[in-house]
Amino acid sequence: MASRQNFSSADVAALLPKFGDLDPDIRYMSLVDLCNILSSASNTLLLNDPNIAARVVDCLLASLDDTNGDVQSQTLKSIGPLVHKSPPEILCQFLEKLTMVKTTKSMDSSIPATATRTMVTALPRPTIGVEPSKSVKEAYSAVSKVLVPRMLGYIVIPHGIKGLPNPPRGMLELDPERGADVDAIDLLHEMIRCFGPMLQDVEKQALLKRLAEILDDQHTGNVAKKKSVTAISVLVVYMTDVLLSAFVSSTVESFQAPQLTPAKRRLLISMTGSIARSIPRRLGPFIGTLAPFILQPLSTQDSSEDMDEDTNLDQAVEDVKEAALSTLDDFLASCTNEMRPYTDQVLRSSLRYVAYDPALALNEEDEDMSGTQSDDGDDSASLDLDDEDFEEEGTMSDGDDSSWKIRRCATKVLYTMISTRGTGDLLENGTLYEKVAPVLIKCFQEREENVRLEILETLTALIRKTGEVLSLTAAFVEDGGSTGAPQLPNSRKRRRGGSDASVFDNQVPLSTRGMTTPGQSPSPTSGPRADLARLGPSILRGIVKLLRQVSVPTKQAATTLLRAFVLVRHGGLTDYLAQIIGSMMEAIKTTSAFIGAHSVLSAGGTASATGNSLRMESLQLLRAVCDTHSSREITPFMDKVVPSLVTAINDRYLKVSGEAIGVAESVTRVITPPRMSGAGETSKRYIEELFDAVINKVRVNEIDLEVRQSAIQALGVILARTSGPRASKLLPATKRSKALETLLERLRNETTRKSSVRAIDNLAVSPMDTDDLPPAWVRDVALELAQQLRKADRALRSSSLTALKHLTGNPAAISRLDDQTIGTLVTLLLPIIDASALGLLSTAMDVIADLAKQSPKQVLNEELNRALCEVVVTPLAGHVLVSFLALVDAIGAQGVGQPLMQALLKDVGVMGDPGIVGSAIGALLVSGKSSVGVGIQDIVKELRSAQDDQRKCLALSILGEASLRLGPSSPLQPGDFLDHFTSRSDQVPRAAAVALGRAGASNSTLYLPTILSMIERPGNTQLLLLHSTREVLQYASENRVDISAYTEGIWKVLFKITDSEDNKAVGAECVGRLISIEPKRYLPLLQNYLQAAKPSVRGMVIQAVRFALTDADEAFDEVLKPILVGMLSAMLNDPELENRRLALITLNSATQNKGALILPHLSQLLPLVIKESNINPALIREVQMGPFKHKVDDGLEIRKSAYETLHALMNTAFSRMNPRDLFDRVVAGLSDEHDIQMLCNLMLTKLAVLDPEETVRRLDSIAERFQAILSSKLKENAVKQEVEKAQEARTDVLRATVRLQAALQSAASSVGQSPAPVWRSYWEFVGKEFKMQLHAAESVVKHQR
């Protein structure tokens, strides 16, 4: 065969005679060769030879009716490449011939439709937002001229050609006996998907009419009708608003038809649900019209009529009810806001049919729908689930009874209601717990397992929603001092079993993982948690009975619910522990060899529950119980727990073993001090059993790496909890020695190094005796940790340095280090004493400071001094500066600071920032005293004799820091600093003001009267003294210094002098610091100033609140709590634009620092934020710049602040936000200015994780915005900055596209149809036009994951 570059039409013509060969193998191989030529040749292969192309078409058409199936399959594969290489003029002919193919030899009658569908898919297709190319227009022309008439049986658009003959019978025309052709409907679906954006309105109307006829036809089968519904849901995407409105009106007329059959009603209801999933936003305005027709079959009256007509319950009527409930589910998920007016009706209907079981004659709807809870005794009776409750009763067999589908759909409606409204009004006002929860609890007796699992999952979702509300105000601390942040909430997608363990566990405070004994937190008197506590006994009685059942899926779902209950209630199982732990141990101790698998089909797919998954869930529940109940409550059951846990640790199933090892950590905490103060021989026996099981997993190399890593971490917990004077006897010395040696071995192993570092870190932070750690072990571990600082793994370096810091900070451990080891450690640490390693610098300096206190002569050397001098000349701030000053202070306190002082004065001097260098020298001067060879008077002399400004600033900074540390014993007076206020330099007065403030911060009685007496003087001195006041107030606020004698004078002065624009910013910070010092006195006064007439005063107050919000004092929070939301509301409603921008920044700060105070009232504040994120045309003005007019948007900055606030709220309180409103603003922001676009892209990638379902529903709208950004073209005279912005925008959009495409793929399996057609078209456009950039974006995203 010819090479690729020499392919010509002659090569194709040479193959054509072989297509008629009698040997099917020759025919097949000829088609393979043809396909290879067409696929690899250039696009001009047949472009200038239409005759050859037409002959190829004829041959392929003949091959479609071949008797050999392989030949037919290869023919289908060749159609696509031929379409790409064919001349445009033969497309119509090719398409027409395909639609006319009749198979006489083949048994497969779907071949012609499949071939046509293949061709339609291969044609160039339009992309929304992009002008169609010539090839796309030619392809649509062929579809419009040929395929549409062939589908309908008549010409819809004549295209200016007169006298056209009528096409043959339409492919979609109804057969009098068989109805519509399923293959033709599939072809129509593909045609709409590919060319929907270009279809004319008249074509859409004709196709819609034909699909409606199919739905009305009595001879058409259910499969064809379901496919027609799917085709309609795709077609409506491309309808104009006028066509959509007309279509909805015709649907309403169909609902109102007097002779509407149940089958037709079911189709109409299913169609509306499918459309709601397809175009949720556009269908939203019509929900008020359609919802009553969906609710009608579910009404009490309608149900009674059905019962009267046929006591045997016509199956068609039940199908209508099932479809209605399923569509309600779609409406609630897709059009949440529009369905709010129907909340009561939806709840009544769904609650009625949750217990709808004619086979058991459960006709107690009135009692179930009353929404009231019976007394405790009644609940107990209703939940008395004996085995016979699940036996068949009544006259209807399971084969005849399909009512379980109705109950399952009703439960799904409740699930969606909880998911979409579970953190809003329905949860807060008690509706879900008063009306829904009691019915779900009673339905625990459901005999059909599919439904029972949905019921348990729905109640679990309600409990989780209560936990999400709780997590917004919870602070929780993990063992070892690490603080966790609330994790991302669950999406509305159903999850079975333990699939969400890692997400939900961290949403609830687990204080038991720390050093205190947990106890159940008191239940509030009102609210969701109080409702859950009230229903707790009923839930637990029902769950306990379910745990006795044989069904594995039911046990697993019940266990999942229990775990959610325990985590949200932070306990609550005290009265039921004996029964629950017994069931858990029974599940946990069952070995893998004796367990089977059970599969249960749910609406969301197939959810399987196996014995191992039940064991995993039971272990997770056990861990939650240990973490939330006191040792006194749990220890009586340790005789059962520990043996079962040891069995699970040794299990051959890796996931079970790994989970059991994690539970062993929690059990260890339960039976050791300080949680269990009286730990004795019993605890010792339990600890030894757990220790033996865990260390065997650590020492064996053949087991899974993840299990071994978990075992190493558990070993660290056991060692940590058996250290110290109260627990050292719980683990024999021989076993401790063996564990420490093993831990050191694993630290030296590359595969287990990270987990070993974490285990050592856990051990290092625990209290211990000197004898707990051998000297040689501490030295070897310290050196090994320091060696890891040379590794390229950033996470390993960071965790190793943190562990080393905790090791050197432990008095028992650092006392074991000798001088040689300390010297080696300092040598290994020196390379990261570098400003370029800011992530490690602070911790490294903390370690060196600890070592300096232990052995100063081994630490301080010329290399360290040089490194510190290089660091101090860089701009240090925050915790890095604090650590640097702490190290300098430690060096001085040990009497070895003179070399460092000389280096700072001679080698650094004025090279660095005078403020930072001065603070270092001042700290060293005070801590080192006479040993550094420099005194305060020497610095005073230098200040007086210095000629250049830099030296004066440095001297002032030194004196300010020294005076701050010396306090009243400082020999300096205010005048020593005030004398320099009049300097002509710009820098010296400011340095003097800061130094004066720092000196006065620790000696307020001397300095503050002087400052207050001079601050009212107008001029530059006033601003300088404001800076001094700020330093005093900041120090007093952070260190709780009593300056109450002066606060009133400061308050009055601040509001007198902050009218000036120059003073406003510094004055606002001073006011903020002052109210954090005395909140009860000044917060109410500050609130009154929000009503001031002057905008500048209100603006200053808003900024003052922002500065005050960083205070973490509980007393301040108590005063702030009742007035904060009102103040923020007043700020956000300020008539001044700049003040509202400042208010948004303040709300952002409140979200970060005082989330527990504002998040419960977010519904009052969020609408104000969303309002500011809209473009305000009134703020856009035109400015004349020479001959050009330029638009200036004065509202841009406030919109940026609004979007930043939305981003912060999304990260901390997404479960309290309305996802639809948030998505509206994020999608709108994609069409805003560059900075807002970038932020919205970031928000979208997070929303894809937070709410993947809503993200998929919005993909079409997102695709249109993304397409506009990628297709935008710069002007020829664009400047470099504009080019860079455009390139950055494209790169950001492509990365967001990759992440959203992943969200689409993960959601596709849970959606009944192929979602987001516009997005899929956009994805194809990106893959074609930005292929290289897309690959680069995929690589970046993959690396970030």
Side-chain angles (χ1 to χ4, degrees), residues 524-541:
T525 56
S526 61
R529 291 185 62 203
D531 295 334
L532 178 59
R534 178 171 52 84
L535 287 177
S538 298
I539 294 173
L540 294 177
R541 281 196 298 271

Side-chain angles (χ1 to χ4, degrees), residues 43 91 228 243 272 300 426 432 473 579 602 632 722 728 849 985:
N43 291 331
L91 286 180
S228 298
L243 286 181
T272 55
T300 307
L426 294 184
L432 295 179
T473 58
Q579 299 162 288
S602 67
R632 178 179 53 82
T722 56
S728 58
S985 168

Side-chain angles (χ1 to χ4, degrees), residues 521-663:
S521 56
S523 299
T525 56
S526 61
R529 291 185 62 203
D531 295 334
L532 178 59
R534 178 171 52 84
L535 287 177
S538 298
I539 294 173
L540 294 177
R541 281 196 298 271
I543 292 298
V544 166
K545 295 183 185 300
L546 288 178
L547 291 175
R548 299 173 186 167
Q549 303 303 316
V550 178
S551 169
V552 171
T554 296
K555 285 184 177 181
Q556 181 169 323
T559 305
T560 302
L561 189 149
L562 269 180
R563 184 164 60 91
F565 180 87
V566 169
L567 293 172
V568 173
R569 290 286 330 274
H570 198 57
L573 300 186
T574 302
D575 297 334
Y576 299 87
L577 279 177
Q579 299 162 288
I580 292 174
I581 288 182
S583 298
M584 282 193 294
M585 295 307 104
E586 183 180 349
I588 291 172
K589 69 184 179 182
T590 306
T591 59
S592 301
F594 298 98
I595 51 180
H598 300 259
S599 293
V600 180
L601 187 66
S602 67
T606 300
S608 62
T610 66
N612 279 329
S613 63
L614 174 59
R615 299 175 73 195
M616 293 281 291
E617 196 66 42
S618 299
L619 286 167
Q620 291 169 4
L621 173 58
L622 178 58
R623 187 171 192 173
V625 170
C626 291
D627 289 339
T628 54
H629 291 76
S630 67
S631 297
R632 178 179 53 82
E633 297 169 335
I634 302 175
T635 48
F637 308 102
M638 284 299 150
D639 284 336
K640 297 180 179 179
V641 170
V642 174
S644 299
L645 194 56
V646 171
T647 300
I649 292 174
N650 294 321
D651 194 85
R652 66 182 184 181
Y653 187 58
L654 300 179
K655 290 186 177 180
V656 170
S657 179
E659 189 65 42
I661 290 171
V663 179

Side-chain angles (χ1 to χ4, degrees), residues 471 474-478 482-488 503 506-508 1211-1212:
S471 69
F476 51 95
V477 180
E478 299 286 309
S482 61
T483 303
Q487 301 296 313
L488 302 177
V503 178
N506 288 333
Q507 290 186 317
V508 188
N1211 289 332
T1212 57

Side-chain angles (χ1 to χ4, degrees), residues 30 320 329 695 930 1317:
S30 300
V320 171
D329 189 14
I695 201 167
S930 59

Side-chain angles (χ1 to χ4, degrees), residues 124 577 596 792 1166 1274 1321:
L577 279 177
L1166 189 58
L1274 295 172
S1321 177

Side-chain angles (χ1 to χ4, degrees), residues 145 217 324 359 423 438 495 648 682 717 922 1006 1042 1096 1099:
K145 290 178 181 179
D217 184 60
T423 51
R495 293 180 172 87
T682 305
V717 172
L1006 175 62
D1042 183 15
S1096 60

